[in-house]
Each structure stands twice: as structure tokens, then as C-alpha cells.
Amino acid sequence: MDRFVWFIGYEIGEEKIYSGTGIRLYDGDTKTCYENGNVTLTSYRIIWQDASNTSVQICLGLNLIKSTEKQAGGLGKSPKICFTLDDVPVNKDPGPYSRSRYNHVRLSFRNGGDNEFFTRCTKQLQEKKWLAGKLRANQTASAHVQTSLVEKSKVPELRISASGIGGIRRDIEETNRKNEASISNAFQDLSKLMNKAKEMVDLSNTIATKIKEKKGDITDDETVKFKAHLLSLGIPDPVTKETHGNGTHYHMQLAHEICKVLRSEVDDSGGIMLLADAYCRINRARGLELLSPDDLLNACKSLANLTLPLKLREFDSGVLVLQSAIHRDELVIKQTKQLVRVNFYDNMSSQIEVV
């Protein structure tokens, strides 16, 4: 799956060959979150689009396919097509997976159409039309460069002879050098600050572990204060759309991050936390990489499918909360009844003694 990249748009000369529905992607023999989509075969690549979220589109270049294999379906199994892939290109564009331990992917055809897809894909691999497309693109780019050079050669050279021109040029060059030096120093300082921030976060995690091991030696007030300091340090490597795309995979990784950061906070809050509070806390921890309310809500909706320790719950009033997966209303009601009963009997006993 690390050969797939985010689909931006069709290239010049790219032709649509075949379209199918109900396609699931496998990374090797492992199921992925790309489970129900539409596939489009073109003369250059294979494009997969999420059926429920059309903004999620990924593609695989035909030039990366070394061989194909057709796998028949059976009882409870859909027919599949397996692609053995070439090595990951050095200049690969961003995609849904940064790395994979497999060198093959599989397409599962739930609604049929695997025979026609296999036949047409094999034909495109034999014709290799993407090579002609690259050649045309290079020729077009070369023609544009030559045209630009010709146009520049027709422009008459402007010569200015004046006593102050040399001084003006030297002033401009000196100003540019100072600006470049200032920008360079600013980025060096920023890099040092980022490195120091990561060191501080690692240190805080180590100290937090020690606090758990020696919880009896530290007062509750000191623990609360220290946790507040840890939260202000932030997340060393937050999940972003630049690194994980902007679709289902991004929301799934974001759900893992939310559980990692907020699980202890939810437990300390009695196993339940308002989604508005969770929004404030996760953004405080992420620093400059702020989340939008929609991204947080979509990530929380995917918690139930990932069997994580937190889940999203909506009450009859419409209030949304993050709740611990082991939190049970029945248990809370039972504990509340016990507390009421104990307090009631204590009060009755004290009144009887007074009488």
C-alpha cells in the first residue's frame, strides 16, 4: 500500500478504460480501511475512490506493477486480483501509507467484474501508454522552454549608463544578503526550539511513568499540578493531514492519538468527558497543529470501529461525550444507590441517637 499516492487529477492524454464498484483493498493479505469503493482503470493507473466519502481518492501507477495474478472466489469469498509491485520510487508523492512490509496488493471484487478488469488491465500493461504520455509531456515542456528563450532573445537589451547605478546595485545586493542571513538564523533558532520541545516531552513522559510507580509518595495536589504541566508541553509528533492525507485513514490515526492523550483524563473525570472539553484539551496538547471541530467529531465517530478504550456517546438530549469503553450506566446507578442508602442510614442513626 505504500506505492499508492493521493489522487489529484487526470493527466493529459490519460484515458478511462473501465469502472467498477464494491472494491476492497488489501495490503498484502491484510484488510485495510479502504473497504468499499469504486475503482477506475485508466491507461496510466488504477484509481480507488471511497463510496461513502468521495473526497478520499488514491491511485497506483501501472508502471509500478511487475505482474498480475487472478484469484478465484469461493464460498463466502470474493474473487480477487493480486498485483506484485516494484520498489517504492525515490521521488514518490505523498500517499495513505508511508511504508508497508508487503510488496503486493490485492483488489477484492464484491460486485463482480473481475474478469473484465483483469483482461483490460493486462492489455494496458502490455501497451504501456504511460511511456508515450511522459514523452509527450517532456516534448511539450521542451517546446515551452524553447519558445520562452526565443521570445527573450527578441527583447532588446536595455543598457543604462549612469554614475549612480553601480552604487544602487551594491546596496540592493547587500540588503539581500542581510535578509538571507536573518531568515537563515530565524530557521536555525526555530529548529533548535523544536528539538528542545521534543526533548522536554520525552522527559515529561519519563517523569509521568515514575509518578505512576511511586504514586503513594506524592500528594494528589502535586500530581494534578504536574499533569497540568505535562499537558501544556504538547504532543511531540501530532497526526496531520500533510502526513496522513485527509480521508478515512487520517481520522483513524487521529482517533488513536485522541485515546493516547485523553484516556487518563477521561478516567480521572469518572469515565466520561464532554466533547467540548475534549476539543479544548486535545488542541491544547497539539500546540500549533489545531484540529477543526469536524475532524474531531469524525475521528471520535471512528472510535467504535477500532475497539479503542474510548468511545463517542450521544445522550437523548443531544449532548456528545467521550466515554470510557468499560463505563456502564448500570454500575454507576448501583454505586449511587449504595451511597444514598449508606448516607440515609447514617443520618437516621444520628437522628435516633439525638432523640
Side-chain angles (χ1 to χ4, degrees):
M1 285 295 294
D2 54 356
R3 277 73 160 183
F4 276 86
V5 298
W6 300 113
F7 177 73
I8 300 176
Y10 292 98
E11 299 180 6
I12 299 176
E14 187 173 10
E15 304 174 9
K16 293 183 181 180
I17 307 300
Y18 175 82
S19 296
T21 60
I23 309 299
R24 180 168 198 163
L25 299 183
Y26 285 73
D27 184 18
D29 299 326
T30 305
K31 293 180 180 180
T32 68
C33 60
Y34 303 99
E35 56 184 10
N36 182 25
N38 306 322
V39 69
T40 300
L41 172 67
T42 74
S43 53
Y44 294 175
R45 50 197 165 172
I46 298 172
I47 304 169
W48 186 93
Q49 182 182 46
D50 196 318
S52 59
N53 186 1
T54 56
S55 63
V56 178
Q57 298 184 78
I58 57 177
C59 60
L60 173 67
L62 297 181
N63 60 312
L64 297 177
I65 298 177
K66 295 173 63 176
S67 62
T68 59
E69 178 186 356
K70 187 177 177 183
Q71 300 175 349
L75 183 61
K77 291 185 178 181
S78 303
K80 299 176 179 64
I81 297 178
C82 180
F83 296 103
T84 302
L85 305 177
D86 207 341
D87 295 334
V88 180
V90 178
N91 57 345
K92 173 182 170 291
D93 293 331
Y97 282 67
S98 58
R99 62 180 62 88
S100 172
R101 60 192 177 117
Y102 299 104
N103 65 346
H104 67 281
V105 296
R106 296 193 299 168
L107 272 66
S108 174
F109 291 77
R110 298 178 179 178
N111 299 338
D114 52 300
N115 292 328
E116 185 175 0
F117 181 90
F118 182 81
T119 302
R120 297 197 180 192
C121 184
T122 303
K123 182 179 179 181
Q124 296 304 313
L125 291 172
Q126 294 172 349
E127 293 179 353
K128 298 183 178 181
K129 292 183 180 180
W130 64 86
L131 295 177
K134 289 184 178 180
L135 180 60
R136 285 195 299 269
N138 292 335
Q139 290 176 347
T140 302
S142 177
H144 284 309
V145 171
Q146 292 178 358
T147 302
S148 178
L149 292 175
V150 170
E151 291 177 352
K152 287 183 178 180
S153 64
K154 294 179 181 180
V155 177
E157 184 179 358
L158 181 62
R159 297 182 179 274
I160 301 176
S161 177
S163 58
I165 294 298
I168 294 174
R169 291 182 60 184
R170 284 192 296 271
D171 291 341
I172 294 174
E173 292 174 357
E174 182 65 22
T175 302
N176 290 338
R177 279 195 295 268
K178 290 181 180 179
N179 291 338
E180 290 176 0
S182 299
I183 294 173
S184 178
N185 292 333
F187 276 106
Q188 288 177 1
D189 294 339
L190 182 60
S191 299
K192 292 179 181 178
L193 179 61
M194 294 295 292
N195 293 332
K196 183 60 66 176
K198 291 183 179 181
E199 293 177 6
M200 291 299 295
V201 172
D202 293 337
L203 177 61
S204 67
N205 291 332
T206 304
I207 298 174
T209 303
K210 293 182 178 179
I211 283 181
K212 292 181 181 179
E213 296 174 354
K214 301 180 180 180
K215 190 173 182 181
D217 299 335
I218 302 174
T219 65
D220 291 338
D221 291 340
E222 291 173 339
T223 304
V224 171
K225 290 180 180 179
F226 187 75
K227 285 184 176 180
H229 290 306
L230 293 184
L231 187 61
S232 64
L233 288 175
I235 303 172
D237 189 17
V239 175
T240 63
K241 292 184 179 180
E242 287 75 14
T243 58
H244 294 80
N246 58 357
T248 306
H249 181 67
Y250 166 67
H251 292 135
M252 291 173 62
Q253 296 302 315
L254 190 57
H256 283 279
E257 179 182 284
I258 291 171
C259 285
K260 182 178 179 182
V261 176
L262 298 182
R263 180 181 181 182
S264 61
E265 301 294 326
V266 173
D267 292 340
D268 292 343
S269 301
I272 195 168
M273 176 185 290
L274 285 172
L275 191 62
D277 293 341
Y279 175 76
C280 296
R281 293 184 182 228
I282 191 66
N283 272 328
R284 181 181 176 187
R286 288 173 62 91
L288 297 178
E289 299 292 344
L290 299 179
L291 289 178
S292 68
D294 289 338
D295 286 337
L296 177 66
L297 181 59
N298 290 330
C300 291
K301 286 181 178 179
S302 63
L303 288 171
N305 299 327
L306 299 175
T307 63
L308 292 173
L310 298 180
K311 64 180 181 179
L312 180 68
R313 178 181 179 183
E314 183 177 0
F315 288 93
D316 295 337
S317 62
V319 175
L320 294 173
V321 298
L322 272 183
Q323 182 175 295
S324 174
I326 61 175
H327 182 88
R328 296 292 182 271
D329 290 345
E330 298 81 4
L331 181 60
V332 174
I333 294 173
K334 183 179 179 181
Q335 292 175 347
T336 304
K337 287 182 178 180
Q338 291 176 350
L339 290 174
V340 171
R341 188 179 298 110
V342 170
N343 291 332
F344 175 76
Y345 285 130
D346 289 344
N347 292 332
M348 290 295 295
S349 298
S350 60
Q351 291 177 6
I352 292 172
E353 291 177 358
V354 171
V355 174

